[in-house]
Amino acid sequence: MKKKTIVALWALLLLCFPMHINATVASDGDNDNEVDWLPYIEAIALVETGNNPNMRSGIYAGRLAMSPAAVNEANIILKSRGETKRYTMNDRLNPEKATEMFLIIQSRHNPENNIEKGIRMWNGGHRWQTEKTKRYYNKVMAKVKL
């Protein structure tokens, strides 16, 4: 995806979902933990699927190779917040909705917005292990464009 398109999509997300996205980027209201996840999400998409939003492989789908468990987790988090919005399995194929789900999951399981933890968690789950996610983390970081 071209850089201008990515920037436009990110701007559109911020315009459409400003409170939601901003709430998931900063964990506690101060600027110390703010992270622009977009370059890392783009790098994850490149590593996972070559940034193919239509990818399907087994239980995984979309450019972030989301599992049904990830969709369910995003919905559980939304429900716990009292929000009525819910995602479907087909939403994994929508880059904007996949990004939203990624950020929702990060907000719950990585509230400190630790980039390394977030990337490793995406690959190895909530109980990721450093050695088992080392190769994945290095691949993603090699694709990050800041």
Side-chain angles (χ1 to χ4, degrees):
M1 192 177 280
K2 292 183 180 178
K3 190 171 185 174
K4 286 183 181 179
T5 304
I6 293 168
V7 171
L9 286 173
W10 190 244
L12 180 62
L13 278 172
L14 289 174
L15 287 172
C16 295
F17 306 99
M19 297 197 55
H20 175 72
I21 298 260
N22 288 336
T24 60
V25 172
S27 63
D28 58 9
D30 65 27
N31 290 335
D32 294 343
N33 291 336
E34 283 191 21
V35 172
D36 178 6
W37 278 104
L38 187 61
Y40 304 98
I41 293 169
E42 295 302 321
I44 288 169
L46 285 170
V47 169
E48 291 286 355
T49 66
N51 203 20
N52 178 0
N54 299 312
M55 187 287 296
R56 291 182 182 268
S57 179
I59 64 170
Y60 302 98
R63 72 189 201 120
L64 295 178
M66 292 186 114
S67 67
V71 177
N72 291 336
E73 182 65 13
N75 286 333
I76 288 167
I77 294 166
L78 289 172
K79 184 177 180 180
S80 74
R81 293 178 180 169
E83 296 183 35
T84 57
K85 182 174 188 164
R86 297 295 182 270
Y87 294 98
T88 67
M89 294 303 152
N90 283 338
D91 288 337
R92 298 177 295 171
L93 303 173
N94 179 308
E96 292 81 19
K97 290 181 180 182
T99 297
E100 290 173 21
M101 288 187 276
F102 176 92
L103 292 171
I104 290 166
I105 292 166
Q106 291 296 323
S107 73
R108 167 67 55 87
H109 297 287
N110 185 16
E112 63 278 9
N113 281 313
N114 179 299
I115 293 165
E116 181 176 355
K117 177 181 177 180
I119 293 168
R120 290 179 185 272
M121 187 175 70
W122 195 251
N123 178 246
H126 308 306
R127 296 184 195 132
W128 57 272
Q129 296 174 1
T130 302
E131 198 54 42
K132 290 184 178 181
T133 59
K134 182 178 182 179
R135 185 169 175 240
Y136 180 82
Y137 174 74
N138 290 335
K139 282 171 122 178
V140 170
M141 291 307 291
K143 302 272 187 200
V144 173
K145 296 176 183 166
L146 296 175

